[in-house]
Amino acid sequence: MARSNPDRDAVDDIVAQWHQQRPELDVSPLEVFGRLHRNYVYYQSSLTALFDRHGINMAAFDVLAALRRSGPPYRMTAGQLAEMALVTTGGMTLRVDRLEKAGLVERERDPDDRRIVYSRLTEAGLRVLEVTATDHFANESRMLAGLTPAEQAGLAHLLRKLERSILAAESTEPEQPHADSA
């Protein structure tokens, strides 16, 4: 269904419906989080298609990219990788296992402390990452083409600020839900 007002979107319609059905309810957060969610769904779909074309997934890209960004010799411990990806070391171990089976990373022990195990990019992993990263960032640039550089910078600033706000909210006690009186 075509919209008569091109400045309106599905979130505007949802907010209007809430206002009609529950005018006393403040649904204004939906204007931010609803749009963030919808944008993320579109973004993730685009990324999934791109990574599929390169034979990897988003989790694999995260690991390969973290190793590449670390610089030569492109190696990190599971703990370092987990911290960057915001996953547990157990979750990272599963990711590295899959990448190792695919020949994109290999594990190596620290020669000075055999308890330390590094995951290191293989030549094949580096090749896959280089091509995928080039396509990935071109894809992201294409998705941002509707925003000016100043708008992109402003949005990045606001999203950073939003993350801090969400983290601060998580560290405070949530308000208890209102119980309906019977």
Side-chain angles (χ1 to χ4, degrees), residues 29-46:
L30 183 59
E31 295 197 54
V32 172
F33 291 109
R35 287 186 176 94
L36 277 175
H37 178 72
R38 292 174 61 81
N39 280 285
Y40 179 74
V41 169
Y42 293 136
Y43 172 75
Q44 184 155 8
S45 175
S46 179

Side-chain angles (χ1 to χ4, degrees), residues 160-179:
R160 184 181 305 111
K161 193 172 180 178
L162 175 61
E163 181 177 346
R164 284 189 215 120
S165 180
I166 291 170
L167 291 173
E170 286 182 357
S171 67
T172 61
E173 281 294 311
E175 189 176 306
Q176 293 301 315
H178 296 283

